[in-house]
Amino acid sequence: MSHTHRRDGHGRRRGGPDQARGRPRGVWGAALALACAAALSACGPDGGDADAAGAASEAPTSPTSPTSPTATPTPTGTPAEPTQSPPPTTSAAPSATPKPGGIARCETEGLALSLVANGQEMNSKYFDLRLTNTGSEPCALLGHPGVSLLDAGGRRVGEPATRSQDGTGDGGAVRLRPGQAAHATVKTAGEGVTDGRCWPEAATLLVYPPGSRQTVTTGDLAGLRVCGDSFQVGPVGDRAP
């Protein structure tokens, strides 16, 4: 019994130091547990630092706008985008010669001018102005010719003839076959009714055929002398007045 008691006592004595060594482990473990708990409470989701971090992470940030291309400034007067030129168009060249009545107008180089006295009626004297087609093709004339008188030095005498409706022309186109003439009536006042108030005698009759900017002339005036400042010409017709 005493031996057993000693063994137990020895066991208790051996167990004492183990327990003595075990206590510090328990104390330090508890201290570490408390420290960890404190750390968790400070660093956990409910801690102040966590709240600050959460607030920082949840703070609204300025939305990043998508990058848009910057428009390049365009110099004044220059289109921002290239403009497309319209496709070139082709058009028929305008006819150099109008065609009254559907055929070519008579050109001055194909016309001969003449003036024929046509008598006197009442207080007026009449003359037949003729434009003859000297070409080889038909041509046409339409309207009033332009008529002026020139002196021997080429200076104009008086004023150009004014337009009238005397004669056989009805305003339509006159078609001339080769050798055929168009007629226009030239009229002036008789010398007897104007007390001799007449223009100086002319040397040349100058005529612009209807529609032309070129002239034909003749030196045969058939006795034409303008008196009383009355000088008129009618439209061309197809026959003599």
Side-chain angles (χ1 to χ4, degrees):
M1 294 292 292
S2 62
H3 177 72
T4 301
H5 174 75
R6 282 196 304 270
R7 188 179 296 174
D8 293 340
H10 182 262
R12 284 194 296 267
R13 284 196 298 269
R14 291 185 61 181
D18 292 337
Q19 291 177 358
R21 286 193 297 268
R23 281 194 194 97
R25 290 196 189 100
V27 173
W28 285 109
L32 289 174
L34 290 174
C36 182
L40 289 174
S41 63
C43 300
D46 294 333
D49 293 342
D51 290 341
S57 64
E58 293 176 4
T61 58
S62 299
T64 303
S65 59
T67 304
S68 59
T70 303
T72 303
T74 304
T76 303
T78 302
E81 296 180 359
T83 56
Q84 183 178 1
S85 301
T89 57
T90 56
S91 58
S95 174
T97 304
K99 295 183 177 181
I103 61 174
R105 176 174 55 82
C106 297
E107 302 292 346
T108 53
E109 59 268 22
L111 291 172
L113 171 65
S114 60
L115 188 67
V116 178
N118 201 31
Q120 182 171 345
E121 182 180 347
M122 300 294 291
N123 297 324
S124 298
K125 294 178 70 173
Y126 294 89
F127 298 83
D128 179 20
L129 185 155
R130 300 177 182 178
L131 292 168
T132 303
N133 179 9
T134 61
S136 59
E137 298 293 334
C139 62
L141 293 174
L142 173 65
H144 289 73
V147 181
S148 294
L149 296 172
L150 305 178
D151 64 14
R155 293 178 296 270
R156 192 176 68 193
V157 175
E159 299 296 328
T162 59
R163 293 180 177 183
S164 72
Q165 294 304 318
D166 294 318
T168 60
D170 58 3
V174 178
R175 179 170 177 168
L176 304 178
R177 296 185 303 272
Q180 188 177 6
H183 303 265
T185 298
V186 174
K187 182 175 72 172
T188 186
E191 294 182 30
V193 299
T194 62
D195 297 329
R197 292 180 290 106
C198 301
W199 295 353
E201 289 188 7
T204 302
L205 178 69
L206 180 146
V207 173
Y208 288 89
S212 177
R213 294 185 179 181
Q214 296 179 333
T215 61
V216 289
T217 60
T218 182
D220 184 1
L221 273 69
L224 171 64
R225 187 179 185 187
V226 176
C227 297
D229 293 332
S230 175
F231 188 31
Q232 300 178 2
V233 63
V236 294
D238 59 357
R239 63 187 185 276

